[in-house]
């Protein structure tokens, strides 16, 4: 049991951050997440970033040597999902990408690291190479502040001396599995680094190593449309019950938040049950090349040269059937509106305001390779998700936005 004062402090923190009260289950801590389109270099190429990320994710799992030399999944810097995190005492606030596909937390890409009385230089070199970016520098331990004053002590923080591929953000808060940190301390290739979630648990702040994530569809360039909950779930963000499925044992999806699923378009199976991952750092829904061909044929979509996305006509949109993700004994259906990119944001892709683009695309390899799909942000904005390390499972629930017409 937690002391009453500690529980009250956590409750007040959650209420002060969230728009509405949260379900108190194992003292959850909530942080808002803001979606941000990175348009500093003009229009964004989401497909290119997502496919680069997918290739890096598969490469890490398939090549142990790369993993031990610090090569992990690319962060998609075309679309970032940002949490404000304090580091140090007094705290400096850093805007960090929330990433379930990597596990190191680091700062310094934008705002420089500010040393305070709580900063401890471990002297350990740290390096992570992402698919289209990287950082290298020194490991520190420091106080990390989530929200209004709740702190984690002695959290490992990478302080970037150099970084590439990150614009408009300060770094990453990694909430992937612990093993993804192995090899990122370059002088200690067999060492793992406790994640923020691990330390919340070990320091008695939460009683389960669980992260709940809520996203909501948005049609604006920047929008605080998400919530990250440590240690529990927020019952105001989903409807019905959360259904859980065990983590996959299939390699290389098993390195990440990997699950087994099949996909049907209407009643037609386009991807037989196989392993893939759930990932906040991927924007689109990526599926094996053979499934993508089936989906394109079934929808009648054409490939748009400007964006790389599938494009459909208004008539084809009206005829779209549900895209069903069959996970365990449950089916999660993306409606026609959930399968398209927000039309109000078409020009940010370099596309036409008058076109309709689909958010399903190719992962770049055929099925049967152990990581055959990625359920990215465009899936997660329609379903509440729970990443449960304690019980080795991922959970999903419907939300008020599952069937909404927003795009």
């Amino acid at each position: 049991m937690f002391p009453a004062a500690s529980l009250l402090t956590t409750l007040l923190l959650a209420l002060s951050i969230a728009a509405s009260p949260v379900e108190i289950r194992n003292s959850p801590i909530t942080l808002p997440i803001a979606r941000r389109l990175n348009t500093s270099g003009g229009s964004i190429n989401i497909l290119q970033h997502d496919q680069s990320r997918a290739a890096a994710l598969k490469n890490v799992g398939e090549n142990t040597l790369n993993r031990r030399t610090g090569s992990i999944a690319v962060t998609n810097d075309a679309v970032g999902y940002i949490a404000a995190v304090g580091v140090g005492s007094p705290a400096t606030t850093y805007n960090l990408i929330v990433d379930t596909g990597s596990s190191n937390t680091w700062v310094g890409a934008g705002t420089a690291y500010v040393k305070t009385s709580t900063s401890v230089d471990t002297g350990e070199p740290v390096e992570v190479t992402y698919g289209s970016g990287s950082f290298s520098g020194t490991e520190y331990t420091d106080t990390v502040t989530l929200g209004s004053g709740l702190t984690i002590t002695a959290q490992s923080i990478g302080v970037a001396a150099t970084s590439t591929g990150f614009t408009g953000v300060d770094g990453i808060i990694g909430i992937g599995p612990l093993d993804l940190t192995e090899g990122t301390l370059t002088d200690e290739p067999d060492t793992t680094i406790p994640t923020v979630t691990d330390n919340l648990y070990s320091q008695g702040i939460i009683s389960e190593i669980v992260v709940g994530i809520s996203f909501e569809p948005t049609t604006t360039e920047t929008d605080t449309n998400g919530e990250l909950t440590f240690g529990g779930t927020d019952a105001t963000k989903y409807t019905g019950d959360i259904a859980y499925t065990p983590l996959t044992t299939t390699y290389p999806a098993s390195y990440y938040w990997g699950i087994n699923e099949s996909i049907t378009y209407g009643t037609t199976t386009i991807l037989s049950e196989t392993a893939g991952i759930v990932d906040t750092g991927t924007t689109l829904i990526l599926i094996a090349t053979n499934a993508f061909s089936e989906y394109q044929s079934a929808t009648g979509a054409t490939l748009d040269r400007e964006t790389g996305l599938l494009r459909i006509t208004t008539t084809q949109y009206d005829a779209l059937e549900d895209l069903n993700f069959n996970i365990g004994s449950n089916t999660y259906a993306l409606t026609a509106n959930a399968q398209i990119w927000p039309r109000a944001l078409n020009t940010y892709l370099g596309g036409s305001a008058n076109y309709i683009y689909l958010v399903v695309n190719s992962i770049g390899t055929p099925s049967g390779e152990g990581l055959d799909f990625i359920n990215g942000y465009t899936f997660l904005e329609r379903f509440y998700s729970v990443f449960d390390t304690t019980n080795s499972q991922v959970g999903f629930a419907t939300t008020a936005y599952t069937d909404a017409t927003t795009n």
Side-chain angles (χ1 to χ4, degrees):
M1 294 291 291
F2 296 127
S6 174
L7 182 59
L8 179 60
T9 298
T10 302
L11 174 58
L12 291 175
L13 169 67
L15 292 175
S16 70
I17 297 172
S20 56
V22 300
E23 174 191 14
I24 299 303
R25 185 176 78 99
N26 305 318
S27 302
I29 303 149
T30 63
L31 287 173
I33 305 172
R35 187 182 84 158
R36 181 184 304 167
L37 297 182
N38 182 2
T39 58
S40 58
S43 61
I44 57 180
N45 192 320
I46 287 176
L47 179 61
Q48 178 183 335
H49 281 280
D50 280 4
Q51 288 181 334
S52 294
R53 179 180 177 89
L57 286 162
K58 295 185 75 170
N59 184 55
V60 171
E62 293 169 353
N63 190 325
T64 303
L65 177 61
N66 279 351
R67 187 163 69 97
R68 291 184 178 276
T69 57
S71 176
I72 64 171
V74 61
T75 292
N76 179 357
D77 64 355
V79 182
Y81 311 98
I82 311 300
V85 176
V87 179
S89 182
T92 299
T93 299
Y94 300 92
N95 292 317
L96 304 183
I97 296 171
V98 176
D99 190 12
T100 59
S102 67
S103 301
N104 290 71
T105 294
W106 62 274
V107 301
T111 303
Y113 178 62
V114 178
K115 299 177 186 178
T116 68
S117 60
T118 56
S119 304
V120 177
D121 183 352
T122 69
E124 293 288 345
V126 58
E127 180 177 350
V128 181
T129 301
Y130 302 87
S132 62
S134 65
F135 93 91
S136 62
T138 304
E139 182 198 34
Y140 280 70
T141 61
D142 211 336
T143 296
V144 169
T145 303
L146 304 175
S148 303
L150 192 141
T151 58
I152 307 167
T153 58
Q155 172 64 45
S156 172
I157 297 290
V159 175
T162 61
S163 64
T164 60
F166 298 91
T167 304
V169 297
D170 299 317
I172 291 176
I173 178 170
I175 54 175
L178 175 66
D179 285 351
L180 287 175
T181 66
E182 184 179 351
T184 59
L185 294 179
T186 55
D187 288 348
E188 299 186 30
D190 296 322
T191 299
T192 58
I193 303 169
T195 67
V196 166
T197 317
D198 293 325
N199 278 332
L200 283 168
Y201 175 75
S202 65
Q203 294 177 25
I205 301 170
I206 59 177
S207 58
E208 288 183 292
I209 311 175
V210 173
V211 180
I213 297 182
S214 167
F215 289 123
E216 298 172 1
T218 182
T219 58
T220 60
E221 181 180 354
T222 301
D223 188 11
T224 303
N225 65 320
E227 178 189 87
L228 187 67
T229 302
F230 292 98
T233 59
D234 181 349
T236 70
K237 298 296 184 181
Y238 59 88
T239 56
D241 297 323
I242 298 170
Y244 290 91
T245 189
L247 297 180
T248 186
T249 57
T250 300
Y251 172 92
S254 54
Y255 277 116
Y256 307 97
W257 290 108
I259 62 172
N260 296 322
E261 74 178 21
S262 65
I263 302 175
T264 56
Y265 177 76
T267 59
T268 302
T269 298
I270 62 172
L271 184 65
S272 298
E273 185 168 274
T274 187
I277 67 170
V278 186
D279 183 34
T280 62
T282 301
T283 301
L284 302 172
I285 297 163
L286 300 182
I287 58 179
T289 52
N290 48 296
F292 175 68
S293 295
E294 294 278 352
Y295 178 73
Q296 180 177 0
S297 177
T299 60
T302 58
L303 193 63
D304 181 77
R305 292 184 179 181
E306 297 299 321
T307 63
L309 302 182
L310 292 178
R311 192 177 80 215
I312 57 174
T313 65
T314 301
T315 300
Q316 289 169 330
Y317 170 72
D318 291 338
L320 278 182
E321 299 186 56
D322 285 352
L323 187 64
N324 302 300
F325 296 75
N326 308 299
I327 303 170
S329 59
N330 296 279
T331 295
Y332 303 90
L334 289 185
T335 64
N337 193 256
Q339 293 174 56
I340 69 171
W341 178 256
R343 282 172 273 195
L345 299 176
N346 280 356
T347 56
Y348 292 103
L349 302 174
S352 168
N354 299 320
Y355 288 162
I356 303 173
Y357 300 101
L358 296 172
V359 296
V360 179
N361 215 288
S362 171
I363 202 170
T365 50
S367 59
E369 297 199 356
L371 203 167
D372 296 337
F373 63 83
I374 301 179
N375 294 353
Y377 166 79
T378 43
F379 174 87
L380 295 173
E381 70 179 357
R382 300 291 179 154
F383 301 101
Y384 191 83
S385 56
V386 185
F387 301 86
D388 184 350
T389 299
T390 298
N391 299 296
S392 300
Q393 60 187 2
V394 175
F396 302 102
T398 56
T399 75
Y401 299 96
T402 297
D403 299 322
T405 300
T406 61
N407 297 332

